[in-house]
Amino acid sequence: MKKIILNILLLPALFLAGFPAQAALRVFTCEPEWASLAEELGGDKLDIFSATRAQQDVHYIQARPSLIARLRRADLMICTGADLEIGWLPVLLRQSANPKVRPGQPGFFEASAYANMLEVPDSVDRAQGDVHPFGNPHIQLDPRNISSVAAELALRLQSLDPENGDYYSQRHADFERRWQEKISEWNERAKPLAGMGLIVYHRSWVYLVDWLGLREVGALEPKPGIPPSTGHLSSLLRQIENQDVALTVRSVYQSARATEWLSRRSGVPAVVLPHTVGATAGADDLFGLFDSLLDILLEHRQ
């Protein structure tokens, strides 16, 4: 994580310092999980920048001049895609005027293109809330998706920087070996979690629910992107009265008011789960992210 440079910490350095001399590629990532994956695959051959932090809602990011400047210099852009960044990334792409990272170019990489997408709607209506037409974009919460994305990203790095192709290939092979070992370990640890009922704040946990065989009992948002209302929370409280619900979960950037309101009245504990790298203590990289997720869920398994 030491090379994952968060924009908020380096704004002064942005204009005062160049990129490390040893870096072969400048990489702009939209989310911390892709910065962490790039670090795993590229090591010191990449100069990596993450446009967002775990404490920010990636749906709503301001297209600041500092981000435009970073994208203008990038050789490779790695974002989730599936319209997750629809509110700000198109502005960055247009304003940066960097031909290397335009859609369709080798420097444009959307992770969702290589994931098993869930909740792909047949049609989209604004009355449904902020529904993403290409499926639920929160793909990073299934480690099997991380593996698929890593394989494609390693190939992209080799294509963009063939001089270091063997280096990227070896790092990917090492990552994949360690990752598959951890998936086996996580699958074994997670067996007691099968069927565990959750109430979620936003429907951003569907990949975790699918992977671990959890149950999503309800959501605090009445529709995706619509804040919880008193009426909806009261309805949800009645809905869960006779159901086995272990936790109400939210991400670190979401308000605690609704989860705590429901917790006080229902007795269901409210917790923050790490949704990306850096979200909670221990989630310092992709391995730590899933270790921390399982630690918290197992601690509250009824």
Side-chain angles (χ1 to χ4, degrees):
M1 282 294 293
K2 63 182 180 181
K3 284 182 65 61
I4 299 174
I5 306 170
L6 299 181
N7 57 312
I8 196 167
L9 298 177
L10 288 185
L11 287 178
L14 177 64
F15 301 101
L16 298 177
F19 292 88
Q22 71 274 20
L25 296 174
R26 299 164 179 168
V27 179
F28 178 104
T29 69
C30 287
E31 291 87 18
E33 61 266 24
W34 308 131
S36 183
L37 182 59
E39 168 70 14
E40 291 282 352
L41 302 180
D44 62 6
K45 304 302 181 187
L46 306 183
D47 187 273
I48 304 165
F49 173 82
S50 179
T52 64
R53 295 174 289 117
Q55 290 73 24
Q56 295 176 289
D57 184 348
V58 72
H59 296 87
Y60 308 105
I61 299 298
Q62 184 179 1
R64 301 188 304 276
S66 58
L67 298 182
I68 295 170
R70 275 287 180 176
L71 188 58
R72 182 175 295 132
R73 300 180 181 189
D75 300 300
L76 172 64
M77 183 211 75
I78 308 170
C79 296
T80 297
D83 276 1
L84 177 62
E85 306 96 352
I86 190 65
W88 52 280
L89 184 57
V91 177
L92 295 186
L93 287 167
R94 185 171 58 253
Q95 295 295 326
S96 67
N98 181 350
K100 295 180 182 177
V101 298
R102 287 176 182 164
Q105 296 303 307
F108 181 87
F109 185 95
E110 285 190 328
S112 59
Y114 311 104
N116 178 31
M117 299 299 290
L118 301 178
E119 298 188 335
V120 180
D122 294 329
S123 62
V124 176
D125 187 327
R126 290 300 299 170
Q128 300 170 327
D130 292 338
V131 174
H132 297 275
F134 303 108
N136 191 306
H138 303 285
I139 61 171
Q140 80 279 6
L141 291 172
D142 184 336
R144 297 167 298 187
N145 282 338
I146 298 293
S147 180
S148 300
V149 173
E152 296 297 331
L153 182 56
L155 293 175
R156 189 67 60 90
L157 292 172
Q158 294 171 55
S159 173
L160 289 170
D161 180 22
E163 183 177 340
N164 292 307
D166 289 344
Y167 175 83
Y168 300 127
S169 178
Q170 291 167 8
R171 287 190 69 97
H172 171 248
D174 177 64
F175 170 78
E176 182 65 10
R177 177 187 56 77
R178 292 183 289 119
W179 195 248
Q180 291 302 325
E181 289 177 356
K182 287 297 289 188
I183 288 179
S184 296
E185 176 190 320
W186 292 326
N187 285 339
E188 187 65 27
R189 288 188 65 203
K191 286 181 178 177
L193 299 176
M196 183 180 183
L198 302 179
I199 296 173
V200 301
Y201 189 106
H202 177 68
R203 301 210 65 242
S204 54
W205 306 96
V206 294
Y207 291 90
L208 183 73
V209 167
D210 179 71
W211 170 45
L212 297 179
L214 310 176
R215 288 183 302 114
E216 184 179 302
V217 179
L220 298 184
E221 292 180 341
K223 296 177 181 178
I226 306 300
S229 65
T230 302
H232 177 69
L233 292 177
S234 297
S235 174
L236 191 59
L237 183 61
R238 292 191 296 273
Q239 176 188 332
I240 66 174
E241 279 182 347
N242 298 314
Q243 294 202 44
D244 179 15
V245 180
L247 284 177
T248 299
V249 302
R250 65 179 176 89
S251 298
V252 65
Y253 61 83
Q254 292 163 335
S255 169
R257 291 183 59 187
T259 54
E260 291 176 353
W261 185 95
L262 194 67
S263 181
R264 286 195 299 272
R265 288 160 175 79
S266 67
V268 175
V271 301
V272 172
L273 287 183
H275 67 286
T276 187
V277 172
T280 59
D284 300 325
D285 57 18
L286 286 168
F287 293 91
L289 168 62
F290 288 97
D291 280 336
S292 296
L293 275 169
L294 291 188
D295 287 346
I296 296 171
L297 290 173
L298 287 166
E299 179 184 348
H300 291 88
R301 181 69 178 115
Q302 294 177 331

